[in-house]
Amino acid sequence: MTCVVYVGNTNIIELTGLKSAVEGTYVNDADVTVTVKDADGNAVAGQTWPAAMTYVAASNGNYRGILEDDLALVDGTTYFAHIDADAGANRIGHWEFAFVPKTRRGS
């Protein structure tokens, strides 16, 4: 999972290829959420958490969420996206990954 995040912009975060380890098939019916936290483990202000990530129609387990433009991110600071997927019994997933937002600049 990766995402390029710009301070003061609406951003997209994606989970691609969600698959059941038990059945070996793509999961297109999970409840998937994201929460952005700072290095101390506190949820970042400016958005209600957890935020839903919706299934991308006709994809193989892809989910997309919005990081709102008024999220209190600081350029160059490390944050952590916590993504949780729940598709029922024995179909639970959790991921955490770091990202560093930047200020978008013109050329």
Side-chain angles (χ1 to χ4, degrees), residues 11-73:
N11 295 277
I12 299 292
I13 186 167
E14 293 182 310
L15 171 65
T16 57
L18 180 60
K19 206 170 195 180
S20 168
V22 175
E23 291 105 10
T25 57
Y26 289 106
V27 177
N28 301 328
D29 60 349
D31 290 322
V32 181
T33 61
V34 61
T35 300
V36 174
K37 297 182 180 184
D38 62 20
D40 294 325
N42 300 310
V44 176
Q47 185 164 341
T48 301
W49 305 114
M53 296 178 68
T54 57
Y55 172 67
V56 177
S59 72
N60 289 325
N62 297 341
Y63 291 79
R64 185 174 293 149
I66 301 276
L67 300 182
E68 296 175 4
D69 60 292
D70 55 352
L71 198 55
L73 301 174

Side-chain angles (χ1 to χ4, degrees), residues 56-98:
V56 177
S59 72
N60 289 325
N62 297 341
Y63 291 79
R64 185 174 293 149
I66 301 276
L67 300 182
E68 296 175 4
D69 60 292
D70 55 352
L71 198 55
L73 301 174
V74 176
D75 183 305
T77 300
T78 301
Y79 296 92
F80 300 87
H82 294 248
I83 296 177
D84 291 292
D86 183 345
N90 296 317
R91 296 173 77 201
I92 305 294
H94 176 81
W95 299 263
E96 296 178 18
F97 71 95

